[in-house]
Amino acid sequence: MVRAFLSYWLYPNNGTALYTNPKILTILIFCGALVILSFTISFWRRRMKNPMTVKLSRSWASAAFWFAIVGVLLTVSRAEGVLFLSMRILPLLWALSMVLYIVLQIFQFRTRHYTVVRTKHSHDARDKYLPGKKR
């Protein structure tokens, strides 16, 4: 049972898939969308005014681009029949690492993002007659 499970996920020659396979096409379209997203994020970052948002989103464009490159590499190796790179566990690890990266970035953005709110100090003429802080 365990051996069958491990051989299913780790067997290097699991047969090639064609480029006309809907799964292969879906992954290639998804990777193309990630490349477009990486350029969109870098364009968006240049237009941002909040320095904290710019700082927290620094790695998003490069991460999207590299996830796309690795996804294309794994998909093409599966379609072309490259033995070691066509194992079933590698796309699973790729997808899990992408989900983990997104979850960690959301958590980091929610905990570290802030905006500086300027407070307007009003000067009241009565303040000089009120008692101050005790020292």
Side-chain angles (χ1 to χ4, degrees), residues 97-107:
S97 65
M98 190 179 343
V99 168
L100 181 66
Y101 176 79
I102 290 170
V103 168
L104 288 176
Q105 288 298 317
I106 289 172
F107 177 73

Side-chain angles (χ1 to χ4, degrees), residues 61-74:
S62 63
F65 185 76
W66 282 107
F67 276 121
I69 295 298
V70 171
V72 167
L73 177 76
L74 291 174

Side-chain angles (χ1 to χ4, degrees), residues 50-63:
N50 189 348
M52 196 62 190
T53 305
V54 172
K55 181 180 179 181
L56 290 174
S57 64
R58 184 177 302 146
S59 68
W60 295 356
S62 63

Side-chain angles (χ1 to χ4, degrees), residues 66-92:
W66 282 107
F67 276 121
I69 295 298
V70 171
V72 167
L73 177 76
L74 291 174
T75 305
V76 169
S77 67
R78 171 73 181 215
E80 295 294 329
V82 178
L83 293 180
F84 179 71
L85 294 177
S86 65
M87 291 191 310
R88 286 185 176 101
I89 198 157
L90 293 179
L92 180 67

